[in-house]
Every structure is written in structure tokens, then in C-alpha cells.
Amino acid sequence: HRLPQAFDRPLEFLPERWAVRDGGKRWKERSSAAEDPQTANPKALFAFSGGARNCVGNKFAHQEAILVLANLVKHLKFTVPKDYILTPHLSGLSQRPKGGIPMKAEW
């Protein structure tokens, strides 16, 4: 990640290479380099996700995260406010609720 061929100012910590501020303090991932010319080349840095030496436990960690999340969610009770009125919104070939569905999750 410090190659001058891949990055301008390679020795500086510049999170703006991969993210932009989303209004306030939050960061938002940049779109592809084709859409945003300031985006760093995604193939220039393979910290844990690419190349011959990618993270050995990557697939296992994802499977474990799914199982943990599934076990947590099955213990939750989801409720919708009684005054909520469902308003369908056409989105492509399918419908979805306009503005989402407000829910409360209780343990």
C-alpha cells in the first residue's frame, strides 16, 4: 500500500482513498474508480481479501457470523406499531413498503 506507482503520496495515511465523508462524521465507501476518479485502485491493496495469501479463516468467519446472527435473531420478537399503515411502492418488478417498516425488536 506504499507503492508510488499505485498511490499519490504513498507514505501518508489518507482514508479518502477508499471513503468519503457522508455529510457529518460518518464515512461512506467510495464507488468504483470508473464512477469516481479519485478512488484508489481496489486491486492495489490486498490486506486480507485477495491474492495468494488471503485470510485463511475468511470463509469460516463469515459462516460463523451468519450462525451467530441467526441464533440471536431467533430469540427476538419483532413488533410493528399499531398505527402503522402499509403503503406499497413499486420497485422494479416487485413491491416493497414505502419508507420501510418501522419495527421494534425485543428480547
Side-chain angles (χ1 to χ4, degrees), residues 69-85:
L69 183 62
N71 278 308
L72 287 173
V73 169
K74 74 180 182 182
H75 294 288
L76 294 174
K77 179 182 176 188
F78 296 95
T79 56
V80 178
K82 292 181 181 182
D83 60 343
Y84 173 72
I85 299 171

Side-chain angles (χ1 to χ4, degrees), residues 22-104:
D22 190 17
K25 294 182 178 182
R26 293 180 174 251
W27 288 92
K28 181 178 92 173
E29 187 175 352
R30 284 190 182 271
S31 55
S32 68
E35 297 172 19
D36 187 353
Q38 292 184 350
T39 303
N41 180 355
K43 295 179 182 174
L45 178 65
F46 292 118
F48 296 102
S49 61
R53 297 185 178 98
N54 66 346
C55 182
V56 176
N58 188 21
K59 289 183 181 178
F60 174 73
H62 280 99
Q63 288 177 343
E64 188 175 26
I66 291 169
L67 290 172
V68 167
L69 183 62
N71 278 308
L72 287 173
V73 169
K74 74 180 182 182
H75 294 288
L76 294 174
K77 179 182 176 188
F78 296 95
T79 56
V80 178
K82 292 181 181 182
D83 60 343
Y84 173 72
I85 299 171
L86 177 65
T87 307
H89 174 72
L90 187 60
S91 176
L93 295 175
S94 62
Q95 289 187 351
R96 60 183 177 90
K98 186 175 184 178
I101 299 177
M103 287 191 168
K104 187 175 183 181

Side-chain angles (χ1 to χ4, degrees), residues 1-12 14 17-18 38-46:
H1 66 282
R2 295 184 179 154
L3 293 174
Q5 301 90 337
F7 302 107
D8 293 333
R9 302 174 6 216
L11 299 178
E12 293 181 42
L14 299 171
R17 290 181 177 137
W18 290 278
Q38 292 184 350
T39 303
N41 180 355
K43 295 179 182 174
L45 178 65
F46 292 118

